[in-house]
PDB file of all heavy atoms in Angstrom:
ATOM      1  N   ASN P1841      -1.652  64.864  79.862  1.00 93.00           N
ATOM      2  CA  ASN P1841      -1.436  64.950  81.370  1.00 93.00           C
ATOM      3  C   ASN P1841      -0.782  63.762  82.028  1.00 93.00           C
ATOM      4  O   ASN P1841      -1.020  63.445  83.190  1.00 93.00           O
ATOM      5  CB  ASN P1841      -2.945  65.211  82.028  1.00 93.00           C
ATOM      6  CG  ASN P1841      -3.495  66.466  81.685  1.00 93.00           C
ATOM      7  OD1 ASN P1841      -4.499  66.447  80.884  1.00 93.00           O
ATOM      8  ND2 ASN P1841      -2.954  67.568  81.989  1.00 93.00           N
ATOM      9  N   GLN P1842       0.018  63.178  81.226  1.00 94.00           N
ATOM     10  CA  GLN P1842       0.887  62.083  81.729  1.00 94.00           C
ATOM     11  C   GLN P1842       2.391  62.569  81.630  1.00 94.00           C
ATOM     12  O   GLN P1842       2.644  63.535  80.908  1.00 94.00           O
ATOM     13  CB  GLN P1842       0.733  60.821  80.913  1.00 94.00           C
ATOM     14  CG  GLN P1842      -0.702  60.191  80.972  1.00 94.00           C
ATOM     15  CD  GLN P1842      -1.105  59.815  82.388  1.00 94.00           C
ATOM     16  OE1 GLN P1842      -0.316  59.232  83.123  1.00 94.00           O
ATOM     17  NE2 GLN P1842      -2.302  60.117  82.695  1.00 94.00           N
ATOM     18  N   VAL P1843       3.227  61.931  82.383  1.00 95.00           N
ATOM     19  CA  VAL P1843       4.645  62.270  82.381  1.00 95.00           C
ATOM     20  C   VAL P1843       5.260  61.966  81.044  1.00 95.00           C
ATOM     21  O   VAL P1843       5.240  60.859  80.495  1.00 95.00           O
ATOM     22  CB  VAL P1843       5.384  61.541  83.454  1.00 95.00           C
ATOM     23  CG1 VAL P1843       6.906  61.953  83.466  1.00 95.00           C
ATOM     24  CG2 VAL P1843       4.852  61.863  84.855  1.00 95.00           C
ATOM     25  N   HIS P1844       5.956  62.969  80.425  1.00 96.00           N
ATOM     26  CA  HIS P1844       6.643  62.835  79.184  1.00 96.00           C
ATOM     27  C   HIS P1844       8.088  63.257  79.402  1.00 96.00           C
ATOM     28  O   HIS P1844       8.381  64.121  80.207  1.00 96.00           O
ATOM     29  CB  HIS P1844       5.988  63.754  78.088  1.00 96.00           C
ATOM     30  CG  HIS P1844       4.688  63.247  77.524  1.00 96.00           C
ATOM     31  ND1 HIS P1844       4.437  63.085  76.173  1.00 96.00           N
ATOM     32  CD2 HIS P1844       3.625  62.796  78.178  1.00 96.00           C
ATOM     33  CE1 HIS P1844       3.241  62.635  76.009  1.00 96.00           C
ATOM     34  NE2 HIS P1844       2.643  62.342  77.187  1.00 96.00           N
ATOM     35  N   PHE P1845       8.988  62.580  78.579  1.00 97.00           N
ATOM     36  CA  PHE P1845      10.372  62.940  78.605  1.00 97.00           C
ATOM     37  C   PHE P1845      10.713  63.742  77.381  1.00 97.00           C
ATOM     38  O   PHE P1845      10.617  63.153  76.301  1.00 97.00           O
ATOM     39  CB  PHE P1845      11.229  61.704  78.736  1.00 97.00           C
ATOM     40  CG  PHE P1845      11.119  61.005  80.136  1.00 97.00           C
ATOM     41  CD1 PHE P1845      10.108  60.064  80.351  1.00 97.00           C
ATOM     42  CD2 PHE P1845      11.997  61.413  81.162  1.00 97.00           C
ATOM     43  CE1 PHE P1845       9.942  59.494  81.505  1.00 97.00           C
ATOM     44  CE2 PHE P1845      11.838  60.774  82.396  1.00 97.00           C
ATOM     45  CZ  PHE P1845      10.868  59.803  82.662  1.00 97.00           C
ATOM     46  N   GLU P1846      11.212  64.971  77.507  1.00 96.00           N
ATOM     47  CA  GLU P1846      11.524  65.805  76.392  1.00 96.00           C
ATOM     48  C   GLU P1846      13.001  66.047  76.361  1.00 96.00           C
ATOM     49  O   GLU P1846      13.618  66.338  77.447  1.00 96.00           O
ATOM     50  CB  GLU P1846      10.780  67.150  76.496  1.00 96.00           C
ATOM     51  CG  GLU P1846       9.348  67.017  76.647  1.00 96.00           C
ATOM     52  CD  GLU P1846       8.590  66.487  75.417  1.00 96.00           C
ATOM     53  OE1 GLU P1846       9.218  66.488  74.345  1.00 96.00           O
ATOM     54  OE2 GLU P1846       7.464  65.945  75.624  1.00 96.00           O
ATOM     55  N   GLY P1847      13.655  65.899  75.190  1.00 96.00           N
ATOM     56  CA  GLY P1847      15.115  65.999  75.045  1.00 96.00           C
ATOM     57  C   GLY P1847      15.453  67.337  74.299  1.00 96.00           C
ATOM     58  O   GLY P1847      14.764  67.680  73.379  1.00 96.00           O
ATOM     59  N   TYR P1848      16.607  67.952  74.764  1.00 97.00           N
ATOM     60  CA  TYR P1848      16.983  69.179  74.177  1.00 97.00           C
ATOM     61  C   TYR P1848      18.495  69.271  74.141  1.00 97.00           C
ATOM     62  O   TYR P1848      19.193  68.575  74.900  1.00 97.00           O
ATOM     63  CB  TYR P1848      16.411  70.398  74.905  1.00 97.00           C
ATOM     64  CG  TYR P1848      14.919  70.520  74.913  1.00 97.00           C
ATOM     65  CD1 TYR P1848      14.203  70.065  75.992  1.00 97.00           C
ATOM     66  CD2 TYR P1848      14.302  71.044  73.881  1.00 97.00           C
ATOM     67  CE1 TYR P1848      12.823  70.101  76.047  1.00 97.00           C
ATOM     68  CE2 TYR P1848      12.790  71.125  73.907  1.00 97.00           C
ATOM     69  CZ  TYR P1848      12.140  70.651  75.005  1.00 97.00           C
ATOM     70  OH  TYR P1848      10.756  70.698  75.083  1.00 97.00           O
ATOM     71  N   GLN P1849      19.020  70.129  73.374  1.00 97.00           N
ATOM     72  CA  GLN P1849      20.316  70.744  73.426  1.00 97.00           C
ATOM     73  C   GLN P1849      20.195  72.213  73.148  1.00 97.00           C
ATOM     74  O   GLN P1849      19.148  72.696  72.655  1.00 97.00           O
ATOM     75  CB  GLN P1849      21.226  70.113  72.384  1.00 97.00           C
ATOM     76  CG  GLN P1849      21.942  68.804  72.861  1.00 97.00           C
ATOM     77  CD  GLN P1849      23.117  68.332  71.892  1.00 97.00           C
ATOM     78  OE1 GLN P1849      22.955  68.349  70.693  1.00 97.00           O
ATOM     79  NE2 GLN P1849      24.189  68.094  72.520  1.00 97.00           N
ATOM     80  N   VAL P1850      21.228  72.959  73.527  1.00 96.00           N
ATOM     81  CA  VAL P1850      21.273  74.423  73.096  1.00 96.00           C
ATOM     82  C   VAL P1850      22.300  74.577  71.986  1.00 96.00           C
ATOM     83  O   VAL P1850      23.231  73.719  71.841  1.00 96.00           O
ATOM     84  CB  VAL P1850      21.628  75.277  74.290  1.00 96.00           C
ATOM     85  CG1 VAL P1850      20.481  75.286  75.350  1.00 96.00           C
ATOM     86  CG2 VAL P1850      22.948  74.943  74.937  1.00 96.00           C
ATOM     87  N   SER P1851      22.193  75.533  71.207  1.00 95.00           N
ATOM     88  CA  SER P1851      22.937  75.773  70.068  1.00 95.00           C
ATOM     89  C   SER P1851      24.382  76.137  70.356  1.00 95.00           C
ATOM     90  O   SER P1851      24.696  76.491  71.508  1.00 95.00           O
ATOM     91  CB  SER P1851      22.345  76.869  69.106  1.00 95.00           C
ATOM     92  OG  SER P1851      22.384  78.110  69.709  1.00 95.00           O
ATOM     93  N   ASN P1852      25.296  76.120  69.336  1.00 95.00           N
ATOM     94  CA  ASN P1852      26.677  76.568  69.613  1.00 95.00           C
ATOM     95  C   ASN P1852      26.765  77.983  69.954  1.00 95.00           C
ATOM     96  O   ASN P1852      27.595  78.456  70.718  1.00 95.00           O
ATOM     97  CB  ASN P1852      27.530  76.190  68.363  1.00 95.00           C
ATOM     98  CG  ASN P1852      27.737  74.625  68.248  1.00 95.00           C
ATOM     99  OD1 ASN P1852      27.030  73.905  68.910  1.00 95.00           O
ATOM    100  ND2 ASN P1852      28.575  74.315  67.284  1.00 95.00           N
TER     101      ASN P1852
END
Side-chain angles (χ1 to χ4, degrees):
N1841 297 111
Q1842 300 297 319
V1843 177
H1844 285 230
F1845 291 88
E1846 308 293 341
Y1848 299 99
Q1849 278 192 309
V1850 294
S1851 65
N1852 290 10

